[in-house]
Amino acid sequence: GESVGLHLPTLSVQEGDNSIINCAYSNSASDYFIWYKQESGKGPQFIIDIRSNMDKRQGQRVTVLLNKTVKHLSLQIAATQPGDSAVYFCARGFGNEKLTFGTGTRLTIIP
Amino acid sequence: NAGVMQNPRHLVRRRGQEARLRCSPMKGHSHVYWYRQLPEEGLKFMVYLQKENIIDESGMPKERFSAEFPKEGPSILRIQQVVRGDSAAYFCASSPGVVATNEKLFFGSGTQLSVL
């Protein structure tokens, strides 16, 4: 069946360094992927998305890479800041109606 | 422009009671989604509704759970005869149309349900 998972449950990064959060998916059907950020006590917040016919997409300080050959998705955050500390989820859209979320990676920024 | 509003933020119920969770979508949004999140886990889809219609309830437990999105008023997720396993954070999300790359889901802050 469809699934989305993450390689590491936690990640600690020095402030100012770049962060890379990874995600793997198991189905070859092409749809779209989204990265969400969830801070404690809050709902997920959209960061960036990418369609399956793309390899890379950039936003402000963030880049998403999609490797369809190995079914791998990554989120790169440049020059991490304390405010980047949160749990990051990748999610996959199946059709246009609902998202399937991974289990999340907790990113901790070390001052 | 207020975001997705959920209330209450915290809800405590005893086993066997009913829980009613409310969600007001963003202004102009006619599509509502409910997700459940257990501690240290990702969100799990429950149900997708449009005004007065349930579009997809494939993630809803067959018993005790129901959802509605009336023509007027908020969307309601109702859990009857709650059990401890229902304890979780319940998130509502809304979108202006069918979710695609450019139609992003906007999430509320969630309702934390605790069943004693």
Side-chain angles (χ1 to χ4, degrees):
Chain A
E2 310 292 352
S3 68
V4 182
L6 291 172
H7 292 307
L8 296 173
T10 61
L11 177 65
S12 295
V13 175
Q14 203 76 35
E15 182 178 351
D17 287 352
N18 297 335
S19 302
I20 299 177
I21 302 171
N22 297 302
C23 185
Y25 61 96
S26 61
N27 190 284
S28 60
S30 298
D31 284 82
Y32 59 95
F33 300 87
I34 306 177
W35 281 100
Y36 282 92
K37 173 186 179 182
Q38 186 177 26
E39 297 174 281
S40 180
K42 297 183 179 180
Q45 178 186 1
F46 173 89
I47 301 174
I48 191 169
D49 59 5
I50 186 169
R51 292 199 72 90
S52 58
N53 61 356
M54 301 171 66
D55 298 322
K56 179 179 180 180
R57 191 163 187 225
Q58 287 185 291
Q60 186 177 12
R61 281 203 307 121
V62 295
T63 301
V64 56
L65 299 176
L66 176 61
N67 186 330
K68 293 179 283 294
T69 301
V70 295
K71 297 184 176 57
H72 183 268
L73 184 74
S74 69
L75 175 70
Q76 301 177 4
I77 306 174
T80 51
Q81 305 167 357
D84 293 331
S85 292
V87 177
Y88 289 81
F89 293 96
C90 61
R92 179 171 180 177
F94 299 99
N96 288 325
E97 295 181 351
K98 60 192 179 189
L99 299 176
T100 295
F101 283 78
T103 52
T105 292
R106 183 176 300 279
L107 176 65
T108 301
I109 308 303
I110 304 168
Chain B
N1 181 17
V4 178
M5 304 300 293
Q6 289 188 249
N7 68 83
R9 289 281 280 128
H10 302 275
L11 182 61
V12 179
R13 285 288 179 265
R14 297 189 182 278
R15 281 179 295 170
Q17 291 184 320
E18 178 180 286
R20 293 173 70 89
L21 288 63
R22 295 175 183 76
C23 169
S24 296
M26 287 183 68
K27 187 177 181 179
H29 287 193
S30 59
H31 297 243
V32 166
Y33 305 76
W34 284 93
Y35 286 80
R36 176 165 63 178
Q37 185 178 33
L38 296 173
E40 302 300 311
E41 294 188 10
L43 283 73
K44 297 290 192 296
F45 169 80
M46 299 182 73
V47 62
Y48 161 40
L49 310 102
Q50 295 179 25
K51 283 287 188 180
E52 300 184 277
N53 288 306
I54 296 175
I55 307 303
D56 183 347
E57 56 182 349
S58 59
M60 287 274 276
K62 299 300 181 190
E63 298 179 349
R64 301 188 298 108
F65 285 72
S66 62
E68 63 177 12
F69 189 18
K71 185 177 181 181
E72 301 291 338
S75 175
I76 305 290
L77 178 66
R78 183 184 178 201
I79 311 173
Q80 296 178 290
Q81 300 174 339
V82 295
V83 300
R84 288 200 173 132
D86 296 333
S87 296
Y90 292 82
F91 289 96
C92 171
S94 72
S95 74
V98 176
V99 176
T101 304
N102 296 321
E103 298 287 345
K104 305 171 184 61
L105 281 184
F106 295 86
F107 282 86
S109 296
T111 293
Q112 180 65 51
L113 173 65
S114 298
V115 179
L116 304 179

